[in-house]
Amino acid sequence: MARLFRLDRALIRVAGPEAHDFLHNLLTQSVAPLPAPRYAALLNPQGKVIADVILWPEANGVVLEASVERGADLVRRLTMYKLRAQVSVSDASDALGIVWSEAPFDNAAADPRFPDGRLGYRRPAPIEETSDLPNGAAPFDALRIAIGVPDLARDALGEEV
């Protein structure tokens, strides 16, 4: 059995009939169809990264997984961009968490940055399922640094890259 950890991440739910089109017009990755998690970014008009995210499909929309440091700003920007789109943007961090392991486990997907599993496996889960798990920040950081994956929220200033 894989050793499971929780990752402290901001989870933002974008739901509604126009959720996929709304995100498709804002992010660097195609959102529709979204059969599996994808890695994407929100850029500023000059093409610099505001936030990098992992997109998780849901029945009525998408959950964006982002760094805690960028979560509040991401919610603010998405809310500002929605204008008349039939979408709702909400912080789902109180209801959802991220479960992570270096080895495959039930209903988990490989981190979309390395689909071969070198960056481990993860999935969103109800917060009750993640609260008793040990914090996985240290083992995850050790793994990502070993294979050369930056954490844009910590390794670069906002809108620097």
Side-chain angles (χ1 to χ4, degrees):
M1 171 93 182
R3 182 155 184 225
L4 302 179
F5 296 94
R6 72 174 152 69
L7 295 179
D8 292 327
R9 305 284 286 165
L11 294 155
I12 300 155
R13 178 173 283 124
V14 179
E18 297 178 0
H20 289 97
D21 291 336
F22 170 71
L23 291 172
H24 182 79
N25 291 328
L26 292 175
L27 301 176
T28 59
Q29 183 65 268
S30 176
V31 177
L34 190 61
R38 289 193 179 145
Y39 182 66
L42 176 66
L43 307 178
N44 72 12
Q46 292 75 36
K48 296 184 179 186
V49 177
I50 293 170
D52 61 330
V53 297
I54 295 176
L55 307 170
W56 293 96
E58 273 198 329
N60 189 32
V62 178
V63 171
L64 286 72
E65 174 193 339
S67 67
V68 171
E69 294 87 356
R70 304 265 170 100
D73 184 50
L74 190 55
V75 169
R76 182 185 65 78
R77 287 178 189 259
L78 292 173
T79 301
M80 180 177 68
Y81 294 149
K82 78 176 195 169
L83 299 173
R84 294 183 186 162
Q86 293 181 359
V87 297
S88 63
V89 177
S90 60
D91 186 343
S93 301
D94 290 342
L96 293 172
I98 295 293
V99 178
W100 176 82
S101 178
E102 286 190 56
F105 63 99
D106 294 339
N107 300 318
D111 189 303
R113 293 170 285 187
F114 282 91
D116 63 0
R118 284 189 290 159
L119 199 50
Y121 298 81
R122 58 176 67 205
R123 69 174 166 83
I127 199 74
E128 302 81 29
E129 187 179 324
T130 67
S131 59
D132 291 337
L133 296 175
N135 189 319
F140 180 76
D141 281 344
L143 181 61
R144 77 169 180 82
I145 290 168
I147 60 176
V149 176
D151 179 343
L152 295 180
R154 292 186 289 168
D155 299 337
L157 296 175
E159 301 184 45
E160 179 181 64
V161 293

